[in-house]
Amino acid sequence: MPSVSRRVLMAAAFAVALAPAATLPTKAEDLPEIEFLYSPFADYAPFFVAEDLGYFDEFGVDVTLSPKGNTAETIQMLASGNIEAGAATWASSLFNALDRGATVSIIATSARMPNTVPSPSPFMVSQTAWDEGIRTVADLKGKRIGIPGPGGFGMYSVAKALEKGGLTIDDVEPVYLPPPATAAAFANGGLEAGWSIEPFAHQLEKQGLGRRLVEDHTFGTELGLIAFNQDFVEENEEAVVRFMAAYLKAARQLDNGGWEDDKILEIVSNYTGTEPDALRGIPYTVRSEDGAIDMESVREQEEFFRQRGALEYEGNSDIDSVYRRDLLQRANELLASKK
């Protein structure tokens, strides 16, 4: 009888010892699929790289990358639970949605402007306008300026560029259109100047349609963020952590010489529709190594939109309540454990 009891106890102890390993998701099929919304811009490259080089698979998450519209659409789809994750810019629509209690969780930065020139998001003047004598920002008073939308980073960036010439948004005629449409507008004389981002800025230069007019207006500015549906996060923290670990691995690779790799250029080319050679050597956005968001930069953008009358509330939005620094820290720790 004692021998039987001992066998039972040993079996029980063995089962307990195995329990954590048995319940910890280690394969993609053990975790829910994550659909992630992206735009075909070079600053989304870490997600393209993580997908095509197998980093999401390495960390055991099944990810589908899907093209998206603007920030307002992304946040709406996230808050409604129609999508699990996506990246967006710091926009008035986002600040207002957070103030209204949108069910989203912010995890990390997706892109930040470097402190160097040339800029990956320059303020450009059309070649036609340049030839007609527009050589400074001050010359653009009353002129048509291309902006991707009335309440996003593009608007903020254009406003900062106009400040260089003592102008404001109210001193010009905003024309709202997406970056890919700027080339046609420059070519047909529909715009004198406008906001751009890589790889489109390089294409404008290469085609002889535009010139860089201002590049030192947004040094170190937070461009975008990574967000998840809040309910999904609460129920699937492990999946979020693993997704973020894969993202951080890809981001660090890019920010430490990865853009010189022909294979990476090919990957980004496939998602952006830009030839690899056109991506080679262009200015790139960067990220903090640990993915942390510079909240001072975010608050500066929030105040800009408040001054524009675009915010529906007073004071600062409660970003801290939805910024999951704990999950970002766990992702960093997971990535460190893989080395």
Side-chain angles (χ1 to χ4, degrees):
M1 192 69 178
S3 60
V4 173
S5 298
R6 184 176 180 182
R7 284 198 300 271
V8 170
L9 290 172
M10 289 178 65
F14 186 66
V16 170
L18 286 180
T23 58
L24 178 65
T26 57
K27 299 179 181 179
E29 56 263 30
D30 297 322
L31 296 169
E33 180 180 341
I34 296 174
E35 185 173 3
F36 182 88
L37 297 180
Y38 75 89
S39 292
F41 305 155
D43 52 302
Y44 282 78
F47 307 103
F48 310 151
V49 171
E51 173 67 9
D52 284 26
L53 290 187
Y55 298 162
F56 288 132
D57 291 339
E58 175 187 342
F59 285 92
V61 281
D62 184 4
V63 177
T64 298
L65 301 181
S66 300
K68 72 180 182 73
N70 57 28
T71 288
E73 178 187 348
T74 301
I75 298 304
Q76 182 180 19
M77 292 185 70
L78 286 173
S80 64
N82 289 324
I83 206 79
E84 288 78 36
T89 62
W90 292 99
S92 57
S93 58
L94 171 61
F95 291 121
N96 286 326
L98 292 176
D99 183 69
R100 290 193 298 267
T103 53
V104 298
S105 293
I106 296 171
I107 311 297
T109 183
S110 64
R112 177 183 296 174
M113 301 302 295
N115 293 316
T116 57
V117 294
S119 169
S121 182
F123 182 66
M124 304 190 70
V125 61
S126 76
Q127 185 62 49
T128 299
W130 179 272
D131 292 341
E132 292 175 351
I134 294 180
R135 302 298 176 88
T136 69
V137 172
D139 294 333
L140 291 170
K141 186 172 184 178
K143 304 300 184 181
R144 295 161 298 181
I145 308 298
I147 305 174
F153 174 79
M155 170 71 82
Y156 175 78
S157 180
V158 166
K160 299 298 287 184
L162 291 175
E163 285 180 7
K164 297 288 185 177
L167 303 180
T168 70
I169 296 291
D170 296 329
D171 293 318
V172 300
E173 180 184 342
V175 178
Y176 300 119
L177 76 174
T182 302
F186 274 10
N188 63 28
L191 294 176
E192 280 74 39
W195 179 84
S196 191
I197 194 167
E198 296 295 0
F200 305 108
H202 179 70
Q203 291 173 357
L204 290 173
E205 292 179 295
K206 186 176 181 180
Q207 295 167 8
L209 294 175
R211 289 170 170 262
R212 294 168 181 262
L213 190 62
V214 183
E215 300 193 80
D216 60 350
H217 54 306
T218 53
F219 282 166
T221 300
E222 286 288 344
L223 172 57
L225 62 129
I226 300 171
F228 279 73
N229 171 267
Q230 197 170 81
D231 293 335
F232 179 86
V233 171
E234 292 177 358
E235 297 171 6
N236 302 282
E237 287 190 359
E238 184 67 26
V240 175
V241 168
R242 289 170 180 255
F243 175 97
M244 292 306 305
Y247 159 77
L248 289 170
K249 179 174 181 176
R252 292 177 187 179
Q253 181 177 357
L254 285 164
D255 292 343
N256 289 278
W259 285 105
E260 298 174 7
D261 188 330
D262 288 343
K263 185 174 183 179
I264 284 181
L265 293 177
E266 187 68 36
I267 290 171
V268 179
S269 170
N270 291 336
Y271 285 92
T272 62
T274 305
E275 290 298 320
D277 284 346
L279 292 168
R280 195 183 311 278
I282 64 173
Y284 310 110
T285 54
V286 297
R287 290 138 290 272
S288 55
E289 185 176 10
D290 62 357
I293 297 169
D294 179 357
M295 291 306 300
E296 182 178 350
S297 172
V298 172
R299 293 304 183 189
E300 288 178 2
Q301 294 179 65
E302 182 181 27
E303 182 57 28
F304 165 77
F305 291 121
R306 174 171 291 106
Q307 295 300 319
R308 294 286 305 163
L311 301 186
E312 303 166 352
Y313 59 92
E314 299 295 331
N316 291 336
S317 58
D318 188 13
I319 299 173
D320 286 336
S321 67
V322 296
Y323 181 15
R324 294 298 303 271
R325 293 178 176 86
D326 59 323
L327 299 185
L328 181 57
Q329 180 178 346
R330 284 171 55 186
N332 276 280
E333 292 170 351
L334 177 58
L335 179 56
S337 72
K338 289 283 188 177
K339 294 181 179 179

